[in-house]
Amino acid sequence: MLEILTISRFGRRISPPGRTKPCIVYSELPDGGEFEAVVKLKAGCETGAAGLVAEAVAAQLATDLSLPIPQSCLLEVTKQFAETVADETVRPLFLRSIGWNFGSKKLPPQFSTIPTDRVLPLNARQTAAEILAFDAMIQNPDRRRQNPNCLACGNELMIYDHELGFSIGRSVIGWRPLWEDKSLGFLRNHVFFNQLSGTALDFNRLAGAWEGIDSTKIKNYFAALPDEWHPTGDRAVEIRDYLLQLKQYIPQVIKTIGKALK
């Protein structure tokens, strides 16, 4: 599911640059073409490779749940390439990110950040509801009105940036599993919360998609991660165990999300 590529050419920094300074890069394909991607460098993440673990696992899960997310990949940064990056602002990040990083396929220019003051088209409401539910399930507080992390092209939506997903475990003060705690306070600042609140929502398709996510598939998400990310092993195990438990409680979790939106 995660295509493995080596970066061969630098494109440009994304503007505005954002907290992690993502860049557009190119990788050569076996057929002679190029794969244009947005790379998130581990040196640009607050938690380093642990942030990339969250990105890669969330991307694989979202793909299997048929949620709108760009094709994901692992992008290798070689020292030889990093030294050729002409942009002095990000060259140090590339040099500190030698090895494997997270990437996603660059979307066409018709996609732009979703305007938070625009009423959701009726044809996009179902997708928006499933995106909100997905963020609740992976405990992602970062798809906010101030920072949508969602692109739109007409009625089509695309999500990205899950570095802060899986805000779970002992490191999060007061955290309890979603199936134990009825509180989803962080969702009130979700980019879609106000427009979906108080409306009739149908999560049957999403619940059905979860039926295809078995323990083997969840474990394979982590088997796909590079060996060099293994220093984050405790974090990976924590996320894996959370997903294995979450799978067992999907009906209860969906009821909790529905109640939070009433």
Side-chain angles (χ1 to χ4, degrees):
M1 186 178 296
L2 292 173
E3 191 160 4
I4 298 175
L5 300 167
T6 298
I7 300 174
S8 56
R9 185 164 67 91
F10 178 75
R12 59 178 174 83
R13 276 182 290 151
I14 296 224
S15 181
R19 174 175 47 84
T20 58
K21 296 184 174 63
C23 298
I24 295 174
V25 295
Y26 299 85
S27 298
E28 294 179 0
L29 296 174
D31 63 4
E34 281 190 318
F35 185 90
E36 185 179 20
V38 177
V39 63
K40 175 170 278 192
L41 300 166
K42 55 190 169 189
C45 297
E46 291 180 10
T47 56
L52 301 187
V53 170
E55 285 278 12
V57 173
Q60 293 177 86
L61 177 61
T63 300
D64 281 343
L65 292 174
S66 297
L67 293 170
I69 189 167
Q71 179 184 349
S72 302
C73 57
L74 298 176
L75 292 173
E76 184 183 26
V77 174
T78 64
K79 186 173 185 293
Q80 180 182 14
F81 164 76
E83 290 174 342
T84 68
V85 174
D87 190 322
E88 296 181 359
T89 303
V90 294
R91 187 193 308 132
L93 286 180
F94 278 94
L95 288 168
R96 297 201 310 273
S97 301
I98 302 301
W100 294 103
N101 297 269
F102 178 80
S104 55
K105 186 174 183 178
K106 169 84 165 50
L107 294 173
Q110 293 89 340
F111 280 89
S112 58
T113 301
I114 188 167
T116 55
D117 58 349
R118 189 187 76 174
V119 176
L120 271 171
L122 287 177
N123 290 346
R125 291 180 70 83
Q126 179 63 36
T127 301
E130 293 185 3
I131 290 170
L132 182 144
F134 175 70
D135 287 327
M137 290 171 177
I138 68 166
Q139 298 286 279
N140 174 32
D142 201 34
R143 205 174 325 279
R144 301 170 285 118
R145 288 187 288 275
Q146 304 91 328
N147 183 41
N149 288 336
C150 183
L151 301 178
C153 177
N155 295 331
E156 188 175 0
L157 304 177
M158 279 284 175
I159 55 175
Y160 63 95
D161 198 349
H162 300 93
E163 176 193 343
L164 299 183
F166 303 105
S167 298
I168 58 175
R170 293 187 299 274
S171 62
V172 181
I173 297 174
W175 180 82
R176 293 180 62 190
L178 182 57
W179 49 91
E180 293 181 6
D181 187 1
K182 304 303 181 186
S183 173
L184 277 171
F186 72 89
L187 281 185
R188 294 189 173 278
N189 200 30
H190 194 279
V191 63
F192 298 133
F193 183 87
N194 286 346
Q195 297 198 52
L196 296 175
S197 182
T199 63
L201 300 173
D202 181 358
F203 294 114
N204 288 331
R205 191 214 67 83
L206 185 62
W210 265 101
E211 293 179 7
I213 309 295
D214 59 18
S215 60
T216 299
K217 185 163 286 190
I218 289 173
K219 291 173 183 176
N220 284 341
Y221 296 158
F222 299 88
L225 304 181
D227 289 343
E228 67 185 58
W229 292 1
H230 279 183
T232 64
D234 290 346
R235 176 65 172 150
V237 169
E238 187 175 53
I239 296 173
R240 183 201 65 195
D241 290 348
Y242 170 78
L243 287 176
L244 289 170
Q245 285 187 289
L246 174 65
K247 160 69 177 175
Q248 302 175 44
Y249 292 98
I250 291 301
Q252 295 95 311
V253 166
I254 286 178
K255 287 181 181 178
T256 299
I257 295 168
K259 289 178 181 178
L261 287 163
K262 284 186 177 179

